[in-house]
Amino acid sequence: MVKERILDAVRTEVIRSGFRFSMNDLSTQLGMSTKTIYELFSSKEDLLTALLDTSLAEIVEKEQQLLRDPSLSNRSKLRQSLVMLPTDLVMFDLRRLSELQRYYPVVWSKLDLFITGHWDEIRQLIQTGKASGELRAFDTEIFVQVYIGGLYRLMEQSASGSFNGGTLTAALREMVDMLLEGVLPKEEQ
């Protein structure tokens, strides 16, 4: 319970101050000594890794619930999965991702590995969609790489505030629509 309380406080500090909060700030917010925090987490990087692990586990659980939902079509599961993952990662304020990359490369690498490596369920949805005729034949690996590249570019734009008033979620939905539906009018597809 104490670990969860500490992680909640870390989440609050990250949202409020970014990744450059101090352990003293954290201990003050929690009303406990830094020694107590260090007994449970060996470093600030260890705290951020635990926070990321918690977030990623929540994402995987949400994804599994979505995939088990019998009321959704394969197509709907695919669309929702492609939008869900990065949306849930927003708790790591995207404007601060460069901080994470610069000061906590091990934590960043773990996040990057998740984004680039967590594709088995999506690949299965695509294969099922192709087999059922819900999706046309296409190169799944190119689709995955285009999505990942687009996601990183959208994250960079979000971090720099260059969405012209839009949000990352809206931009991601638009990107997924283009990937799944194309850009030609329906009658020309």
Side-chain angles (χ1 to χ4, degrees):
M1 205 59 178
V2 174
K3 275 189 168 187
E4 289 81 13
R5 188 170 156 238
I6 292 171
L7 291 177
D8 284 343
V10 170
R11 183 177 283 113
T12 300
E13 285 298 321
V14 168
I15 290 167
R16 181 175 45 187
S17 308
F19 297 103
R20 297 173 123 207
F21 67 90
S22 73
M23 295 301 265
N24 284 334
D25 294 337
L26 188 60
S27 68
T28 300
Q29 180 183 342
L30 288 164
M32 66 176 62
S33 71
T34 54
K35 181 182 175 191
T36 303
I37 296 170
Y38 281 118
E39 286 172 358
L40 297 169
F41 299 96
S42 63
S43 65
K44 194 166 143 185
E45 186 169 72
D46 189 28
L47 273 169
L48 294 173
T49 299
L51 184 60
L52 178 62
D53 288 344
T54 300
S55 256
L56 297 181
E58 289 171 14
I59 290 168
V60 169
E61 177 56 33
K62 285 181 181 181
E63 183 180 57
Q64 291 305 310
Q65 288 173 359
L66 175 74
L67 295 174
R68 289 188 304 258
D69 187 341
S71 70
L72 296 174
S73 69
N74 187 62
R75 192 177 199 164
S76 181
K77 289 176 185 181
L78 179 60
R79 182 180 301 280
Q80 288 182 43
S81 291
L82 290 170
V83 175
M84 173 197 328
L85 295 174
T87 301
D88 288 343
L89 291 176
V90 168
M91 89 98 203
F92 279 109
D93 184 344
L94 294 171
R95 291 170 299 195
R96 301 189 199 293
L97 279 178
S98 59
E99 266 181 50
L100 186 65
Q101 283 179 290
R102 175 186 246 170
Y103 298 109
Y104 301 98
V106 171
V107 180
W108 168 256
S109 292
K110 190 169 197 162
L111 175 59
D112 180 59
L113 183 62
F114 182 82
I115 290 170
T116 59
H118 186 80
W119 283 89
D120 291 343
E121 287 83 0
I122 300 293
R123 284 184 178 98
Q124 183 59 48
L125 285 171
I126 290 170
Q127 289 312 108
T128 302
K130 287 178 183 179
S132 71
E134 243 181 317
L135 299 174
R136 69 171 178 80
F138 63 92
D139 188 314
T140 303
E141 294 313 308
I142 291 175
F143 177 89
V144 169
Q145 292 307 312
V146 167
Y147 177 92
I148 291 169
L151 172 62
Y152 278 120
R153 187 66 183 124
L154 291 176
M155 289 166 62
E156 288 169 11
Q157 286 182 322
S158 177
S160 69
S162 61
F163 270 144
N164 299 329
T167 65
L168 175 64
T169 301
L172 184 60
R173 286 184 198 285
E174 180 73 18
M175 182 184 83
V176 168
D177 283 346
M178 281 187 240
L179 283 171
L180 295 179
E181 306 297 333
V183 295
L184 298 176
K186 296 267 185 226
E187 63 274 0
E188 292 181 30
Q189 290 185 356

